[in-house]
Amino acid sequence: MESEYKKRSELLKALSHPVRLRIVHGLLKTGCHNVSCMEEKTGMSQSCISQHLQKLRMAGAVTAQRTGNEVYYSVSSPVVAGVVAALFEEEASNYVL
């Protein structure tokens, strides 16, 4: 049980940064994206986005799938969607997982 609390707290810690929350919320609203698409939508640099995606991956909030030279990111679970939906007062059922 203690490991479950640690896992959930790591998720909350990862989502507590505004940039990471913005990335996850964007993925949930529009689906799987690569870093180039995120750069275009957010105006942030590739290196900034990549650093935040690494932290989100380590916390288990997002997953990555390589297709050729591109890496596509998506939100890892309905739990993450539920947390973000609660924060934005939205319905998680409207999100893309």
Side-chain angles (χ1 to χ4, degrees):
M1 188 62 154
E2 191 64 32
S3 65
E4 189 63 27
Y5 287 112
K6 182 172 174 53
K7 181 179 167 185
R8 302 296 176 161
S9 69
E10 291 298 322
L11 172 62
L12 291 173
K13 197 182 308 181
L15 292 174
S16 70
H17 192 284
V19 171
R20 292 193 288 269
L21 185 58
R22 181 177 180 184
I23 289 169
V24 172
H25 192 233
L27 289 172
L28 287 166
K29 297 284 261 185
T30 59
C32 190
H33 287 293
N34 60 25
V35 174
S36 298
C37 182
M38 289 182 217
E39 272 184 282
E40 188 178 299
K41 288 186 183 272
T42 65
M44 291 183 274
S45 70
Q46 181 269 332
S47 61
C48 176
I49 293 168
S50 293
Q51 287 175 0
H52 287 290
L53 283 167
Q54 177 63 22
K55 290 185 183 202
L56 289 166
R57 285 180 68 191
M58 290 177 62
V62 299
T63 57
Q65 181 177 341
R66 181 173 290 281
T67 304
N69 290 335
E70 298 286 332
V71 178
Y72 290 89
Y73 295 89
S74 58
V75 174
S76 63
S77 76
V79 171
V80 176
V83 170
V84 174
L87 289 170
F88 286 95
E89 298 178 2
E90 297 174 339
E91 292 293 324
S93 60
N94 295 332
Y95 289 156
V96 179
L97 283 178

